[in-house]
Every structure is written in C-alpha cells, then in structure tokens.
Amino acid sequence: MTDFKLTELNEQAVEYIAVGAAVLGTGGGGDPHIGKLMAIEAIRKYGPVRVVRPEALADDDLVVPLSMIGAPTVMNEKIPSIEQMTKPLDLMEKELGRKVSALMPIEVGGGNSLVPVIAAAERGIPLLDADAMGRAFPESQMVTFHLDGIDCSPITMADERGNAVLMHAIDGVWEERMARAITIQMGGSASICDYPVSGAQAKQSVIPYTLSLAYEIGKTLFESKELKQNPIDALLKQLNGYALFHGKAVDIRRRTEGGFTRGEAVFEGTDAQKGRTMKLFFQNEFLLATEDGRSLAVTPDLISLLDQDTGMPITTENLKYGARVTAVGFPCDPRWRTPKGLETVGPDYFGYDTPYIPIEELASKKGGEL
Amino acid sequence: MAATKTNSEEVYRIGIDVGGTNTDSALLDSQLNTIHTVKVHTTRDVNEGIIESVRRLLAESGVNPAQIRYAMLGTTHCTNAIVERKHLGKVGLIRLGAPATTAVPPLADWDDTLKAAIGPHAYVANGGYEYDGRTIVELDEAEIIGYFHQMKGEVDAVAICGVFSPVNTSQEKRVEQLAKEVLGANMPVTLSHEIGSIGLLERENASLLNGALLNVISGVVKGFEQALQGFGIQAGVYICQNDGTLMRSEYALRYPILTIACGPTNSIRGAAHLSGLSHALVVDIGGTTTDIGVLAQGFPRQSSAAVEIGGVRTNFRMPDILSIGIGGGTIVRSDESNGTVTVGPDSVGYELLKRGTIFGGDTLTATDVAVKLGRFGWEGALTESLDEAVCQKADAIMTRDIEDAIDRMKTSADPVDVILVGGGSILVADKLEGVARIVRPNHHDAANAIGAALGEVSGETERIYSLDDMTYDEAMTDARNHAIEQAVLAGADRSTVQVVLTEDIPIAYLPGNALLVKVKAAGRL
C-alpha cells in the first residue's frame, strides 16, 4: 500500500486514476475513457479539484456519492452533459435542505471513479479521497455503507433531457431494483446520488485513500514503461498482490441474465504454465478464478486481467480470443470478509458453489511456481 | 524477369501497393496465378511511380492491356496526409447530441495542429436516439440550418454524427439533406453511421478524418484512372481497405478513411495466397521496419485495442501489427573502444544503394551485414572492408529482436510457421527460435501488391437486437443475411460470399437482453 496522499486532481492525476481504476475495476465498471475525457474537460473549464481525506471531514459535513448507473456501452455513445451530473446533486441538496461539503465516487473501479469530478469541478466542491467499494461491484447495495446499516435514501437520479427522480428506498436492494427500472426509461444510462452520509458516517464507513491508490497504480503502469521494468511485477509488489495465472484466452462465453453480462472465460497456460488451464467467471466483474475446480481467487477479493506486455487492464467486455494475459489477485478490504460482507458480495450471492477462502490462504496452498 | 507467354482469352488483374519506399505492382490471371511483378521507387508525386510501375508491368509481361479487367490500388496517401497534416480539407461537424453529450465537446482529444487543419466549425446540435432507436429529442432544423450558414464558404466537407445513429439513421440522413440545401448539392457529406460502430467520439473522429481526406482520395482515384486509361486499360477500379477487402472507386471517393493501414493487410493476404497457408505469422521486412502480423483463417488478426490515427482515437477494426525498427537500410554502428555494436533504429531508407557500404557508400547497414555473412549474393558487392566480427554481432542482435517480436505475436508457446515477405527478408537466417518452419514464397517481395490484387469485396452489418423480440439464432441470421446482401451489392459473386467475422456482445446492465451484433461477409469479384 501507499503513503502517497492526493491533494488535487489535475489532468495528469486524472490520466493516472483512469488506468488505476480500470485495474481496481476487476474487469467491470466500464472503460474509464469517457469518464477521463469528461473529467479533463471539466478541469480545463473550471480548474483543478481539491481532494480531501476522510479524517479532514467535520462530523456534520454532508458527503454525497455521485455516479452513473446503466450500461457503459450506452454512456460511450450517449455521453452525459454537465447538467446531468449536477442535477441529482441539486435535487439532493434541495431535499436535505443543505449544501454538500464533499462529493465522492461510489466505486473506485472503471468510469465511475472519475464521474464525480465533473460536478465537483463545476460546483467547486472538494472530492473525498475514498469510495464505498474499494473496487467495482455491479449492484447498488454492494457498498460498505450497506454493511454499516446506513440509509441509502434519499436517492436522486437524472437523465440528459432534464428529467429527475427523487426516490426513497427501504434499503440498497430495493434501490437497485427501482433505480435499474428508472434507468431503462431514462435510456439505459443515468446519473445518481445515493447514500448521502454525514462526515462522521463517512469516517466510519468509507474505504479511505482509494483515489490515491488508483493514482499510484496508474503511475506505476505508466512509469514502468519508461523505466523498462516489468509493470506487472511492480504492481503486485505495490498492492501485495498475487500472480494467479499466465496464459491466453481460448474460449469466452457471455450471456445476458437480468441485465447483467454473465459468463466464463477459459485460459490456456503459456510458458512455464503450459498444460494448465484457468477458468474465470464473471458478472460484469471477474468474480472467481479456478484451476481444475480448485479456487485461485474468490470474490470479494479482487481479480484483474492484465495484458502480459503492457500490464494494462482488460475488461470483461474487451476480452477477446487470443489475448495474452496475466491474471492477478489482490486482497479486498477486510470489511468484505465479515459475515454480512460475504452475504452481500461473496461467491454464494453471485451463485457460485464454492466457499470464500481469502486469497492469502489460497496462495499459500497453491502448488507449482508461476 | 523474362516476359511470360500469356493467353489471349485470359482475363487479368493488376494490384498495386504504394508504400513509403517502394511502389509494387503485380499482374495476376483469373486463377490468381502471379504472372509478373515489378518494384519501383515511390515518387514525390505518387502518381508518377504508379504510372512507371504499370508501364513496366505491361512492357515486361507482354499482356494486352485490353485483357486487364480489374485494377486494385492500395495506398498510404491517406495515412500520410493525416500523419503529416498535409492536404487535409476543412470539415464542418454537426454532432446530433444535445442535450446529452455536452460534457465532452467535439475534437476534445485532438492535438492543436490536427484541430487547426480541420478548422473551427464543430457544433453540437439537438438530436440523437436511445439505444433502442427511440428519439431523445427531435431535430431543431432552424438551429442546424444556422450552423450550416456559418460554415458557408469555409468548409470543404461536412461530417454528421448523431447519438446511436448506427441504430437509427433517420436524423443523420435528414441533416444531410439540410446540408445540401444550404451548402449546395455538391457538398460532400459524411454520415457517421456509414463509417464507424458504437462509440460516439471514436465514430465522430473517424467521420471528421474521412471528410478531411476526400480531396486526397479524389486525387488518388483520378490519377489512377487516368494512368490506366493512358495505357488503354479499361478495368473496374478498386481501392484496398484495411481489412483485406476492396471497395469500388466510387465508394472509396466517399469513404477514404477506410483505406488507412491497408498496406500491412495486403502483405498478410498476399503472403497467405503465395504460401498456401492460412494460419501463420507473416514477417514483412522492408527498408526501414519489420512488420509482423498474424494470419488466422486467411485474414489478418484484428487488433482489440482502440486504434489511434495521427493521435486521434477511432473505432476502426485494424490489423494487429507489431512493428520494430529493423529493415534492409537499418544503420549498424560499432564502437571500437569497447567492442559494442548497436543496430538502428534509424535507417538510410531509399538511399540504401547509395549509402550502403557494399555499394560503395559510407554507412554500415543491415543489408551489408547480410551480404557479408553470405546470406545473399550481390554482384560487385564490396564486402572485403567489412569487419566480420562486427557483422556477426549485429546479426545476433537483429535475429534476437526479430525472434522476440515473433514470440510476442504468437498465441501459444508452440512453434509457428513464419512466412517471410518483403525486400528485406534476405536479412533473416534460415533458422529462428520458436519457429517451426520459414516459408519464403516466390514473389515474396511483391506480396503486398499480390495481396491487393486478390480482390475480395465485403459487406457489413452492425446493430443492436432485442432478444425479447426474437431468438438469438434469428438475430444472428438476420445480421448475417444483411451482411451477405451488402457484400453482393458491393460487387461480390454471391456463390463465393462467406461470413468472415461474427461478433456478438451483450450490452451489460440493460434488461431486454440487448445484443450488439457485428457481422462481416466477403466474396470474390
């Protein structure tokens, strides 16, 4: 982990975070490219965004996560407007009758890590160096706030036309159902604020410094190219991660179930791993890696696919036959390993018939050298 | 090469590939046998090189020009125009996106020189569709007409790019009418749905570049047609696309962007044809670089990464090519004080015959090394003065670099077949690490021109299907049929049309089981 603390988001920081967030996105969360371009445009127009740490928040501050919900494919085509980004924020402030002290990303994976930058720049609100997943997950209740019993409501959503919705849900699971239905009516992609929290709640519940972490990951991947060092080795060292498998994609099966892309990809080992086979299971994100039915890494621990040569992350949508990859795994935030955490995002929730075993244990049991 | 005896009943085709250094041409018969090939220098005025190469091809082969039925041209004109920012036309853009899309304006990730070449007329107007074809907002025609009036006299072409236009093309077509009403019926208009796939910015970028290249391609096509007529060749004229298929010249005049990067593709297709292999690595060694591509099922493997052209992100499908700085003219340097030898990355390029040591020049090149080591004989080569130890070291470096590059393009650790093509292929030893066998086909140095002449034409379809309304199989059949019809419309012989690419991508986070389907079909002329 890193001691680095981000204090300001400028164009360079956005470039780094976009790449780091794709690694932490574990194959999901969409390509951060559009998020990156929107954030850079906003910074050019309104100036850099101040970044604050959770400990700097006052207990009665109002902190609001802002993100996009819907299909990344749609967002790449129907790019949002700035007004669409500030609209749910305005509605939230109106409903709560007070100003927002800081915005935050709900997840630090994929495009959503940079989505709050646009509204933060336009409104001059600082961004919290934290998120509520420490990675990317597909559903609204899959946040640390949910583990801590924090109310997800009020929830505000907006589309690009100017339609906006204020909603109260009894919990994140209901939010997910209703917000998803509204998103379809809004054209498959909408902006959303949920889980408005106090400074005190944020300090207790967020996963701190994840923007700094994403920045550091991106910086490592960019710099290892210049330093001619192996980017994957550098990354594993930085994140206390494990190399799971070295191989090429030989079979990818995707199917749509309830609005999610589920599927599995098969990899044949290359080089020292010749003759071995890894399977990766995904629901937008990579959730389970196995070899001969034996787990290599299990959700909520992080599984990322990196290009063997460049170390750049590969998403589930962009994974293609013949891709040469290194699968890596990282331990998740300890809160996901609690009983409620595992009930929310563990293998059972996603329908995988396998127990959760921490990646550290799996790695120590693993036979054979990578 | 001696003139070949030709059959007066036979129908021939010419393929020409204009590269940075050489213009290659090939004459093929109706069975696609190579009758003759010619290599000339690419000239400053590219058309002169093309004329010279056709002149020699006819003279040396003795073929009657009247029997040449097809002429195919692959050219780097458009690529060079973008890279050098030269001869680009001014393009006025209408993005049909507001009230959405305004968080990223047009040309957002373009560098200033390219932006300046395109000009200042880019507007975001009201419009666009949802992923299922529903209208987001109606067009505001007065607004759009106003933008066109602002462009009057200041643009050479217009590009129109609407949100989800690949799903619903109506708004783009209507705006094309408005453009012609205001700017004249002759104003060229590029509609984004005819060029690129889903991904607004990439499609918009590709449309703008396409508009900017219209002048360039029109010069190319006119020059080529005039050259052919000058020789009495009455042939159907086709231009090569980057996916290994052809477009008729009328179509190329509207879609020049599709010619980008056809050179490496032509080499790969030509190598496949000449070697008879359909799965192999193709190593094309020219004067300045070695380009390595992967041949899979007879076509080049496509790159999965977003493709940048002149620094601009676009959503073309491009061949997956790895280039390294080793070619026939690559400069070799040795430091006598510590015995080190370095190779490239710079090259003497087309000056090889003047500057290479064995030709009496003052520069040690990769070609000198190959000749000194006996890999290739050259009459009158001055090899005595060359230091054999230096040559051995340089050769070891080049071999290792090429082996590394081959390994990076392989899809498994298994040894692969390598087809060696290009004028610089003499540089390579007969054994390489990780390679099962090395195939050096006849006419290897004109593989690109032969690839150009092969002539497959294609049709494509790309749309989002809702699997609530139909089954998966019905959707795929519909997409395949549409692609096949498009290929036939483009001139393919129906009996030879095959689906060469099928891709289906479920659109994540959307219920209704939305599926993005892309199909490409290709067949022979």
Side-chain angles (χ1 to χ4, degrees), chain A residues 66-354:
Chain A
L66 174 61
S67 58
M68 292 296 290
I69 179 170
T73 317
V74 172
M75 193 171 101
N76 285 344
E77 181 69 27
K78 193 178 70 170
I79 298 164
S81 62
I82 292 176
E83 295 73 20
Q84 188 185 351
M85 298 309 208
T86 51
K87 188 108 188 174
L89 180 64
D90 293 342
L91 191 55
M92 181 67 79
E93 288 187 336
K94 195 174 152 205
E95 171 69 6
L96 295 177
R98 52 184 304 205
K99 289 281 164 197
V100 170
S101 317
L103 284 166
M104 66 175 279
I106 195 78
E107 60 184 333
V108 76
N112 265 341
S113 53
L114 288 166
V115 159
V117 175
I118 297 101
E122 202 267 351
R123 288 289 141 95
I125 303 171
L127 198 62
L128 192 66
D129 187 358
D131 77 305
M133 293 186 190
R135 47 167 297 166
F137 277 126
E139 298 177 23
S140 306
Q141 77 280 8
M142 296 174 173
V143 287
T144 45
F145 300 133
H146 174 75
L147 303 186
D148 290 330
I150 293 170
D151 192 357
C152 61
S153 304
I155 300 149
T156 55
M157 295 175 66
D159 70 8
E160 70 287 339
R161 297 172 174 84
N163 292 314
V165 171
L166 168 68
M167 185 165 73
H168 285 265
I170 53 170
D171 61 22
V173 178
W174 275 98
E175 177 202 339
E176 168 68 22
R177 284 179 199 165
M178 299 191 291
R180 203 61 69 180
I182 291 166
T183 302
I184 298 311
Q185 292 312 313
M186 289 183 163
S189 174
S191 54
I192 181 167
C193 286
D194 56 357
Y195 291 98
V197 289
S198 68
Q201 285 173 316
K203 279 185 268 193
Q204 172 212 345
S205 208
V206 298
I207 300 179
Y209 317 134
T210 46
L211 280 179
S212 293
L213 179 65
Y215 175 95
E216 286 278 278
I217 293 170
K219 190 162 178 250
T220 297
L221 288 181
F222 275 109
E223 284 183 352
S224 53
K225 207 185 319 176
E226 285 155 29
L227 301 171
K228 299 205 163 163
Q229 62 185 10
N230 183 312
I232 297 176
D233 291 346
L235 198 64
L236 291 173
K237 211 171 137 197
Q238 187 181 18
L239 291 172
N240 300 318
Y242 302 88
L244 302 175
F245 199 80
H246 215 54
K248 65 159 182 165
V250 294
D251 191 22
I252 302 151
R253 283 153 199 253
R254 300 181 176 92
R255 59 189 182 275
T256 312
E257 277 177 25
F260 294 109
T261 305
R262 288 180 65 98
E264 62 250 11
V266 181
F267 299 81
E268 268 174 15
T270 48
D271 308 321
Q273 305 218 301
K274 200 164 152 43
R276 295 170 58 184
T277 306
M278 176 184 71
K279 265 190 169 180
L280 264 188
F281 297 84
F282 54 88
Q283 174 179 322
N284 301 337
E285 285 78 31
F286 298 113
L287 296 171
L288 173 65
T290 64
E291 183 177 351
D292 302 327
R294 195 170 48 91
S295 295
L296 299 174
V298 189
T299 177
D301 287 329
L302 286 71
I303 303 166
S304 291
L305 270 189
L306 306 177
D307 179 281
Q308 269 181 21
D309 292 327
T310 62
M312 288 298 169
I314 299 170
T315 63
T316 50
E317 292 190 339
N318 288 338
L319 178 61
K320 293 224 165 90
Y321 175 85
R324 285 174 74 132
V325 302
T326 299
V328 296
F330 310 107
C332 65
D333 189 89
R335 274 166 283 179
W336 292 122
R337 296 176 170 185
T338 60
K340 189 165 185 192
L342 289 174
E343 187 189 305
T344 309
V345 294
D348 192 41
Y349 180 85
F350 292 105
Y352 300 119
D353 184 21
T354 188

Side-chain angles (χ1 to χ4, degrees), chain B residues 33-49:
Chain B
N33 299 309
T34 306
I35 304 298
H36 190 58
T37 65
V38 161
K39 191 180 275 291
V40 303
H41 284 307
T42 297
T43 44
R44 249 173 95 81
D45 173 359
V46 177
N47 292 337
E48 290 171 21

Side-chain angles (χ1 to χ4, degrees), chain B residues 58-231:
Chain B
L58 290 173
E60 292 171 19
S61 69
V63 161
N64 175 5
Q67 285 175 262
I68 295 172
R69 205 55 57 77
Y70 301 109
M72 291 81 166
L73 178 69
T75 175
T76 51
H77 279 85
C78 291
T79 317
N80 292 344
I82 293 172
V83 172
E84 294 167 14
R85 281 90 163 107
K86 276 187 188 155
H87 313 300
L88 296 176
K90 303 274 185 213
V91 186
L93 171 77
I94 302 281
R95 178 198 288 176
L96 304 172
T101 80
T102 53
V104 184
L107 307 163
D109 53 349
W110 289 45
D111 78 33
D112 291 341
T113 57
L114 198 54
K115 235 190 238 181
I118 298 287
H121 292 287
Y123 305 96
V124 182
N126 288 306
Y129 292 103
E130 303 286 13
Y131 66 91
D132 54 5
R134 273 185 292 155
T135 305
I136 301 177
V137 284
E138 297 293 344
L139 296 179
D140 178 346
E141 297 199 352
E143 178 197 17
I144 290 164
I145 289 166
Y147 292 142
F148 284 136
H149 277 291
Q150 290 184 54
M151 293 179 195
K152 235 180 185 172
E154 295 189 24
V155 300
D156 304 307
V158 168
I160 300 165
C161 182
V163 171
F164 277 114
S165 61
V167 177
N168 190 336
T169 59
S170 314
Q171 286 184 350
E172 282 194 358
K173 287 176 176 161
R174 173 63 190 147
V175 176
E176 178 182 25
Q177 288 176 345
L178 296 177
K180 303 249 178 195
E181 280 168 22
V182 178
L183 299 168
N186 294 328
M187 175 59 68
V189 177
T190 300
L191 303 184
S192 81
H193 72 264
E194 295 182 345
I195 299 230
S197 53
I198 301 289
L200 181 82
L201 295 181
E202 290 82 1
R203 192 172 70 250
E204 179 177 276
N205 289 343
S207 305
L208 278 161
L209 291 176
N210 189 67
L213 289 169
L214 290 168
N215 282 333
V216 177
I217 198 72
S218 125
V220 172
V221 169
K222 271 187 206 135
F224 190 44
E225 285 174 345
Q226 277 168 9
L228 294 170
Q229 277 160 19
F231 291 109

